[in-house]
């Protein structure tokens, strides 16, 4: 199966951001608890408010890293008999058998696959040019074979 990932995720960098976020959050909470035990200075600009902001920063870093790592699970893959894809806003992997395809409409930023009463759309908005070209070429090949079948 030939596989294309629509999102380029730098896993090592995102894991570093996750770890940094966790460490920042934990250290901020530890120092906040320490300052509460000692004597918390509640003045906004001169007090111990920086620990609260560091904790918020840690939460933000962790959230950003986690969201980016989630994008790594999306894919479009195919072989001679089947097309499979999982894209954002989909809960399950979509399977399309090539023999069930009646027509393919290739647009600039999407591909529509018509199969009887059902139509499946593959958005192509986040792909790089080389990958976009590979996908469009594959679907043009499928469209040519479907047209040959319908003519005979």
């Amino acid at each position: 199966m030939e596989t294309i990932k629509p999102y380029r995720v730098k896993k090592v960098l995102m894991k570093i951001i996750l770890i940094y976020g966790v460490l920042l959050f934990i250290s901020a909470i530890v120092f906040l608890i320490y300052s509460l035990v000692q004597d918390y200075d509640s003045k906004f600009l001169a007090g111990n408010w920086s620990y609260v902001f560091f904790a918020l920063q840690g939460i933000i870093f962790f959230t950003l890293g986690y969201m980016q790592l989630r994008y790594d699970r999306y894919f479009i893959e195919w072989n001679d008999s089947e097309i499979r894809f999982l894209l954002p806003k989909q809960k399950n992997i979509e399977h399309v058998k090539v023999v069930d395809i009646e027509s393919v409409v290739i647009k600039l930023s999407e591909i529509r696959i018509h199969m009887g009463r059902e139509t499946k759309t593959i958005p192509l908005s986040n792909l790089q040019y080389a990958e976009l070209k590979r996908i469009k070429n594959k679907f043009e090949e499928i469209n040519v074979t479907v047209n040959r079948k319908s003519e005979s």
Side-chain angles (χ1 to χ4, degrees):
M1 283 220 156
E2 192 171 345
T3 304
I4 292 180
K5 298 269 188 178
Y7 295 97
R8 298 240 181 234
V9 176
K10 298 184 189 294
K11 288 184 186 180
V12 174
L13 180 63
M14 289 306 121
K15 287 180 182 177
I16 290 171
I17 288 175
L18 277 173
I19 292 169
Y20 180 72
V22 168
L23 290 176
L24 190 62
F25 179 75
I26 290 172
S27 63
I29 294 300
V30 167
F31 285 120
L32 184 62
I33 291 171
Y34 178 75
S35 68
L36 286 172
V37 169
Q38 292 300 319
D39 186 27
Y40 187 74
D41 187 7
S42 62
K43 293 181 209 161
F44 185 66
L45 292 177
N48 298 100
W49 281 92
S50 63
Y51 303 132
V52 175
F53 295 122
F54 288 149
L56 289 174
Q57 249 183 339
I59 291 170
I60 290 170
F61 271 102
F62 182 82
T63 304
L64 288 175
Y66 176 73
M67 288 172 55
Q68 286 298 312
L69 282 177
R70 278 187 32 205
Y71 283 124
D72 192 45
R73 68 182 181 155
Y74 300 123
F75 65 92
I76 301 170
E77 66 182 15
W78 62 81
N79 60 18
D80 293 332
S81 63
E82 184 180 43
I83 300 165
R84 296 173 14 142
F85 56 94
L86 178 66
L87 297 170
K89 299 180 184 175
Q90 290 180 337
K91 294 182 180 179
N92 299 321
I93 297 174
E94 299 280 339
H95 297 271
V96 176
K97 295 195 182 283
V98 174
V99 295
D100 295 340
I101 297 175
E102 292 181 358
S103 68
V104 177
V105 177
I106 302 170
K107 293 191 174 184
L108 183 63
S109 63
E110 72 179 13
I111 294 176
R112 289 192 187 145
I113 304 169
H114 299 284
M115 305 173 305
R117 292 185 222 151
E118 190 176 6
T119 300
K120 296 196 182 209
T121 303
I122 301 175
L124 304 173
S125 56
N126 295 319
L127 293 167
Q128 295 194 1
Y129 180 73
E131 294 169 341
L132 181 67
K133 192 163 181 80
R134 277 179 44 206
I135 291 175
K136 285 187 176 184
N137 287 338
K138 177 61 180 176
F139 279 99
E140 284 175 9
E141 290 173 16
I142 292 172
N143 199 18
V144 167
T145 56
V146 167
N147 288 337
R148 282 186 201 151
K149 274 196 256 179
S150 64
E151 289 175 358
S152 51

